[in-house]
Amino acid sequence: MLELTGIEAWYGGIQALKGISLHVDKGEIVTLIGSNGAGKSTTLKSISGQVPIKKGSIFYNGKDIANIAAHKTAVLGISQVPEGRRIFPKLSVRENLLIGAFAVKDKQLIETRMEKVFEYFPRLKERVEQKGGTMSGGEQQMLAIGRALMMQPEVLMLDEPSMGLAPIIVEQIFEIIKELNKQGMTILLVEQNAFQALQIASRGYVIQTGEIVLEGTGEELITNKQVQEAYLA
Ligand code: ATP
């Protein structure tokens, strides 16, 4: 469904990705793990068109989407929940969700999708008129995921959804990710919380300084000695 081959990306003179190749198949939860600065976020951003690719290809359902404009990837079916949530703090929950549906013109369809988001996150419904910035970290993460769901993506990419959240909220977020996947959504998950990510993942890749150094099923990686020492200790 999604296939990256030899992706190279730079920030000015710094090479952040040194030939990343990976694939995500329909219905999978694939996780990217690695330490700070390894290149996990840049990999997601290269897919969503937020970071230019110098070399390599990205095929999505047979179409080359390398260096496509960011808003177009969402229209094609790939939505991203960014690191740090990036919700609009001065806008209400409802307004934040409407922004997520930027490419949907049909008002009824927008309402239907919003109701679907509320089924996953009843808390958002309770707070529909509340300003995003006044909500807790967990609620803001729910809103960021809800906003991405408004485009009804085929592939949902999440960048560190557990960051800064209490363990009980992290559990809830991971339950929702599992549920979305059960309903048929393909997931590409970037996490520092490697243990929890690998527990729900079909497969995973370990990224180190812009390169993939290991890949395997969630089970294989969680029991791998190198992974245990570096990321699960
Ligand atoms: P983190 O969990 O800290 O976000 P990461 O694995 O997602 O880590 P990236 O954010 O992809 O890593 O960063 C990869 C490399 O690119 C790092 O060396 C980082 O310093 C660099 N980098 C990331 N964003 C920028 C930027 N906007 N300008 C310059 N360098 C950047």
Side-chain angles (χ1 to χ4, degrees):
M1 170 180 261
L2 188 61
E3 180 146 31
L4 280 63
T5 309
I7 294 300
E8 294 189 16
W10 300 69
Y11 294 105
I14 300 166
Q15 187 168 15
L17 302 182
K18 301 171 181 165
I20 295 280
S21 297
L22 61 85
H23 63 100
V24 181
D25 298 334
K26 193 169 174 56
E28 283 191 308
I29 298 182
V30 172
T31 187
L32 308 182
I33 60 173
S35 20
N36 269 337
K40 306 179 299 296
S41 298
T42 306
T43 302
L44 292 196
K45 287 178 184 165
S46 74
I47 299 169
S48 58
Q50 296 171 63
V51 164
I53 297 157
K54 274 264 174 78
K55 257 194 188 166
S57 64
I58 302 183
F59 275 86
Y60 173 57
N61 288 336
K63 186 179 157 86
D64 190 355
I65 60 161
N67 291 320
I68 197 172
H71 65 276
K72 287 196 182 145
T73 45
V75 173
L76 285 174
I78 305 174
S79 284
Q80 186 171 355
V81 183
E83 185 172 2
R85 354 237 195 253
R86 304 268 180 107
I87 58 143
F88 298 96
K90 297 217 162 88
L91 300 185
S92 69
V93 165
R94 186 180 166 76
E95 288 163 336
N96 269 279
L97 292 175
L98 288 175
I99 286 174
F102 70 94
V104 186
K105 299 282 170 277
D106 181 338
K107 288 213 166 81
Q108 189 51 49
L109 186 59
I110 292 175
E111 290 307 317
T112 309
R113 288 196 183 166
M114 205 176 284
E115 280 308 316
K116 186 91 193 141
V117 168
F118 293 150
E119 280 174 27
Y120 284 110
F121 304 110
R123 184 68 68 90
L124 295 182
K125 186 166 188 167
E126 288 163 21
R127 311 205 158 192
V128 68
E129 297 306 335
Q130 194 170 325
K131 298 241 186 304
T134 66
M135 300 206 301
S136 70
E139 289 164 349
Q140 291 189 17
Q141 186 61 63
M142 291 172 193
L143 180 54
I145 297 174
R147 181 180 57 189
L149 294 180
M150 290 299 286
M151 284 302 286
Q152 214 170 56
E154 192 177 21
V155 181
L156 183 67
M157 304 198 294
L158 300 112
D159 196 346
E160 308 260 8
S162 77
M163 194 165 59
L165 302 182
I168 186 157
I169 310 293
V170 175
E171 287 291 334
Q172 288 174 15
I173 298 288
F174 273 77
E175 279 306 313
I176 293 286
I177 296 171
K178 274 200 304 198
E179 184 55 32
L180 289 167
N181 177 250
K182 234 176 159 179
Q183 303 294 327
M185 201 170 285
T186 302
I187 310 280
L188 180 54
L189 171 66
V190 160
E191 260 300 336
Q192 293 243 354
N193 194 336
F195 185 66
Q196 260 164 316
L198 289 172
Q199 270 186 323
I200 65 163
S202 342
R203 290 185 306 109
Y205 294 88
V206 179
I207 302 192
Q208 231 172 53
T209 53
E211 288 176 286
I212 288 175
V213 292
L214 259 181
E215 63 174 287
T217 63
E219 173 87 29
E220 281 164 357
L221 292 178
I222 223 165
T223 52
N224 178 292
K225 210 156 181 283
Q226 257 175 291
V227 173
Q228 287 180 346
E229 280 168 9
Y231 307 106
L232 305 176

